[in-house]
Amino acid sequence: MFEFEANPNPVPASERAALLENPGFGKLFTDHMAMVRWSDTKGWHDAKVVARGPLSLDPATAVLHYAQEIFEGLKAYRTGDEGTALFRPLENARRFRESAQRMAMPELPDDLFLGSIEALVKADREWIPQIEGGSLYLRPFMFASEVFLGVKPASEYLYLVIASPAGAYFKGGAPAVTIWVSDHYTRAAPGGTGAAKCGGNYASSLVAQAEAIREGCDQVVFLDAVERRWVEELGGMNLFFVFDDGSMVTPPLGGTILPGITRESILTLAREQGITVREEPYAIDQWKADAESGKLVETFACGTAAVVTPVGKVKSRDGEFTIGSGGPGQVTEALKARLTAIQRGQAPDTHGWVHRFG
């Protein structure tokens, strides 16, 4: 059970309503946060939901020096019956544990992960936007909080969950994004932390993302670190390729690609619809050739924040190419519509993916 300490100065209801008319993404935050501590002597303890506020850290806090940090991302939705739902939260809990294993951190039990999410959403449910496509983005994270200088796993950790009202991930709700092929930077190498959701993976992608923005693109796509040939993923999303014979391809998991929960859900839904989906390597030169010949008709990216996003154009130092019409494709739109309908309780949930509570 989480002890609840109400925020003594919550955002007034009228001010909150005005903010939620256009929340954007990642800029607004709710009144509370969940918190649990871990130490090698007490294990997990001191579970609370408290007023969201600054953290006080000693300059020698381990995470500031050795980057022992992991995080997750999931959303809470309003359902048609005025309920609240999460989408596959136990998959986030599983991935959080796997990330912790890779980063030599304590594993948070699934029931504690889910309990922290539920406790925070119940406290701040009124922050879920009622605009079309609105949701409450949830960010569970954990970091080494022990004060020490020495290269070893820490003996103390702090786990928190914060919540942010969310609208469209891409500015203007872009119908299709343009991506830049990084020919210099890579995201992850075999044996590294590519399959873990840790901050270092994202920090190392930022210079390539900045390059993409300078080139007039929305996102960067990374190639493999060995041959610099095989398409892997975007800075924060997995990729799918749709062909003129109705089949689909997505790069295979192998330790360098984050095992996306949206990715796995798309695989399941596509196969249920009779689509042949192959998890196999796909080369950047083949991507260009297939797009120019018309064999490739759609490409889309997927992830928790952006859900399903069409890719309309690809740029690199060697030129650029357009995919299909340059806008959303039929398969992309159909899969997105089915997935979001399940998430929001508007379509049958035959897999038990939706977790209702409250």
Side-chain angles (χ1 to χ4, degrees):
M1 296 294 294
F2 278 74
E3 180 182 343
F4 179 66
E5 298 176 6
N7 188 328
N9 297 297
V11 175
S14 58
E15 182 179 340
R16 182 181 64 222
L19 291 170
L20 294 182
E21 290 179 1
N22 184 23
F25 186 88
K27 295 183 178 181
L28 298 178
F29 298 94
T30 66
D31 294 312
H32 297 89
M33 62 184 181
M35 179 185 301
V36 191
R37 297 181 182 277
W38 185 93
S39 70
D40 57 2
T41 56
K42 293 184 179 181
W44 293 105
H45 64 283
D46 200 20
K48 297 179 179 180
V49 171
V50 299
R52 181 185 175 275
L55 301 175
S56 178
L57 298 179
D58 188 283
T61 300
V63 67
L64 302 178
H65 302 270
Y66 308 113
Q68 261 194 303
E69 181 272 349
I70 59 173
F71 67 96
E72 268 301 322
L74 64 161
K75 291 178 177 178
Y77 306 90
R78 293 182 185 270
T79 58
D81 56 3
E82 292 304 310
T84 308
L86 304 170
F87 184 71
R88 307 189 73 179
L90 289 178
E91 287 299 302
N92 293 96
R94 174 193 56 78
R95 190 169 64 183
F96 198 71
R97 285 189 286 102
E98 291 176 351
S99 294
Q101 290 174 7
R102 179 62 183 86
M103 302 300 288
M105 302 169 77
E107 294 181 41
L108 184 74
D110 291 359
D111 59 349
L112 196 53
F113 181 95
L114 187 58
S116 67
I117 299 295
E118 289 186 353
L120 180 58
V121 174
K122 287 177 182 178
D124 287 343
R125 185 183 184 279
E126 294 307 311
W127 281 92
I128 304 177
Q130 299 196 48
I131 59 174
E132 182 179 356
S135 62
L136 188 63
Y137 183 79
L138 300 157
R139 171 54 60 85
F141 62 103
M142 178 168 62
F143 64 86
S145 56
E146 182 184 3
V147 177
F148 83 109
L149 295 178
V151 184
K152 69 177 184 64
S155 61
E156 295 177 5
Y157 294 86
L158 185 61
Y159 165 77
L160 299 104
V161 188
I162 56 176
S164 175
Y169 183 74
F170 288 106
K171 186 177 179 180
V177 297
T178 299
I179 58 179
W180 173 257
V181 181
S182 179
D183 60 358
H184 180 68
Y185 302 103
T186 59
R187 177 185 172 275
T193 60
K197 201 166 177 68
C198 61
N201 291 344
Y202 295 79
S204 64
S205 75
L206 296 180
V207 64
Q209 177 64 24
E211 181 180 63
I213 297 298
R214 289 196 300 271
E215 296 292 339
C217 299
D218 303 289
Q219 271 281 336
V220 62
V221 60
F222 291 100
L223 306 180
D224 73 289
V226 179
E227 298 183 59
R228 306 293 180 92
R229 179 189 177 196
W230 305 104
V231 179
E232 294 217 316
E233 63 174 286
L234 303 191
M237 291 177 282
N238 299 118
L239 276 172
F240 281 83
F241 307 93
V242 184
F243 299 95
D244 58 1
D245 63 359
S247 67
M248 288 170 44
V249 163
T250 191
L253 302 180
T256 60
I257 293 176
L258 185 73
I261 296 164
T262 306
R263 174 189 183 276
E264 199 277 331
S265 302
I266 291 290
L267 285 171
T268 299
L269 295 178
R271 286 165 176 156
E272 282 184 348
Q273 293 179 199
I275 297 174
T276 299
V277 188
R278 302 182 299 278
E279 296 179 67
E280 63 184 28
Y282 192 54
I284 181 62
D285 52 351
Q286 192 64 51
W287 189 5
K288 182 176 186 294
D290 288 346
E292 291 178 342
S293 71
K295 180 180 179 180
L296 178 76
V297 293
E298 301 175 40
T299 297
F300 65 87
C302 65
T304 297
V307 192
V308 174
T309 300
V311 176
K313 184 179 291 185
V314 179
K315 293 184 177 181
S316 71
R317 299 190 198 284
D318 297 326
E320 62 183 61
F321 57 91
T322 300
I323 299 160
S325 64
Q330 292 183 349
V331 174
T332 301
E333 292 297 278
L335 287 170
K336 179 179 181 178
R338 188 172 177 204
L339 177 62
T340 55
I342 293 171
Q343 290 175 334
R344 297 177 182 278
Q346 299 165 351
D349 174 26
T350 59
H351 299 282
W353 286 344
V354 177
H355 176 77
R356 296 173 179 266
F357 63 101

